[in-house]
Amino acid sequence: MKYHHILVAYDGSETSKKALAHAIKIVENQPICKLTVAHVLNRPPYAIASYGLVLPEGYQEKIQEYENALMQQATEQIQNLPYAKIAMLKGNPASAILDHANENACDLIVMGNRGLGAIKEWMLGSVSHHVVQQARMPVLIVK
């Protein structure tokens, strides 16, 4: 099948690295296909009903350094692809991925499956499960 724009969800996990590698193989076989590597910044609020959480000094800077390192890894992987880019998204990961895919006419979403297990997935939910259930385009889950 030919694709025009592939969105890869990337969080630095082993399965997201596999998903990115798989998407790159697809794009290499379809030279005019666009590839977007998306990382979602999902930072929970640090205060709830006037109760605050005191963060260690330098915490925000360490998070930013980590995210920059993730994006550098992804950038190195896609640097030779002519129609590839990085997208930094914000919010709930599943919603941000779906919104970006819809707004940018992506015709395939590729993402890893962390394999939380049945009980953890039932309790916590799964980004990949939510994306598969709500997407208007094909979703490829890489294990």
Side-chain angles (χ1 to χ4, degrees), residues 9-23:
Y10 187 79
D11 65 4
S13 66
E14 286 306 310
T15 57
S16 75
K17 290 176 182 178
K18 289 178 184 178
L20 177 56
H22 194 79

Side-chain angles (χ1 to χ4, degrees), residues 91-122:
N92 172 280
S95 297
I97 290 164
L98 289 166
D99 289 346
H100 190 82
N102 289 326
E103 291 166 5
N104 292 278
C106 295
D107 50 2
L108 177 66
I109 299 173
V110 181
M111 59 191 311
N113 178 1
R114 288 209 178 164
L116 292 175
I119 293 175
K120 284 185 180 178
E121 184 174 327
W122 176 75

Side-chain angles (χ1 to χ4, degrees), residues 15 23 39 48 70 84 117 127 137:
T15 57
H39 176 68
I48 300 172
L70 281 181
V127 173
M137 69 283 301

Side-chain angles (χ1 to χ4, degrees), residues 20-38:
L20 177 56
H22 194 79
I24 289 170
K25 286 179 186 175
I26 294 171
V27 171
E28 287 175 339
N29 291 323
Q30 299 180 36
I32 60 169
C33 183
K34 294 180 192 176
L35 176 67
T36 299
V37 180

